[in-house]
Amino acid sequence: MTMLVRSGIIVALCLIVPSLSFVLPVEKCRLDDSKCLTQSFQNGLKTFMEGMPELGTDVLDVMEMEDIEFDLSGLQFALKGGHLKGLKNSIIDQIVWDTKKKVMEMNFRSNNTLNGHYKANGRILILPISGDGELKLKLRDVQFKVLINYILKKGSDGKDRVVPKKYEFVFEVLGNAHFELTNLFNGNKELSDSMHIFLNDNWKEISTEFGRPIIDAGIKKMLKNIAIFFDKNPIDDISIQ
Ligand SMILES: *[C@@H]1O[C@H](CO)[C@@H](O)[C@H](O)[C@H]1NC(C)=O
């Protein structure tokens, strides 16, 4: 390629994406402009969730989950090789960025499917459970509120980076949760059938009681990648002052 053609391409690229962090198809916003941020997060969501190898971020839809293990309210549960699908089609309801308190708040909803190898022992609400097989969990309209506390830290170029320090979240499954588990009770069909009826009748209570550690694993991975994004993009380069 000649120099001329090459710089022509670069100029063309700059014209197509004039006001952008170099990979996300979003408009720059003032951080106190919640409406603009909400739209920009929505516009950039799919690209972000599909992973940006240029920046070193992971593919988050489908997300390969870290192994999960918990012992909660009488249930010992483990999930290995979990895959979470659906985040890239989330609906961003509201982004609020408080630069004084250094808190970013994300409100969003999504439909998700979680697959993986589960092991369960103990009891779930009132029923004894034991199983070791494949889990498929469909969640319809899960609402999330994630609060990220951050600090600003200068990179070697002297520009401020947002560095997430801690997070909190609340969630609620508004639509429905549907459970499918293979090999419950060593494959006893009768017990397995009645457990499925129980799980799917009591989806609301069960997702409230046991959903947190699973959702936490997903949010943790998302935040790790948000941190990578902010590390690669000084805040003044991706927002309007
Ligand atoms: C989830 O799926 C339902 C049914 O297909 C749809 O009505 C709803 O808008 C979806 N929710 C989200 C957050 O995409």
Side-chain angles (χ1 to χ4, degrees), residues 136-149:
K136 182 172 187 179
L137 172 58
K138 280 192 200 163
L139 298 168
R140 191 151 49 78
D141 281 321
V142 195
Q143 188 176 55
F144 302 92
K145 181 202 276 289
V146 183
L147 296 165
I148 305 171
N149 287 78

Side-chain angles (χ1 to χ4, degrees), residues 146-149 165-169 216-217 219-220 223:
V146 183
L147 296 165
I148 305 171
N149 287 78
K165 278 292 161 190
K166 57 176 189 173
Y167 66 95
E168 292 163 48
F169 70 94
D216 190 31
I219 289 180
K220 203 174 272 169
L223 283 186

Side-chain angles (χ1 to χ4, degrees), residues 159-177:
K159 293 180 174 181
D160 279 335
R161 263 55 170 196
V162 169
V163 181
K165 278 292 161 190
K166 57 176 189 173
Y167 66 95
E168 292 163 48
F169 70 94
V170 289
F171 75 98
E172 189 178 354
V173 183
L174 295 177
N176 179 251

Side-chain angles (χ1 to χ4, degrees), residues 180-192:
E180 270 177 61
L181 299 105
T182 66
N183 201 36
L184 276 169
F185 305 104
N186 289 316
N188 180 315
K189 183 166 177 346
E190 224 166 287
L191 289 176
S192 170

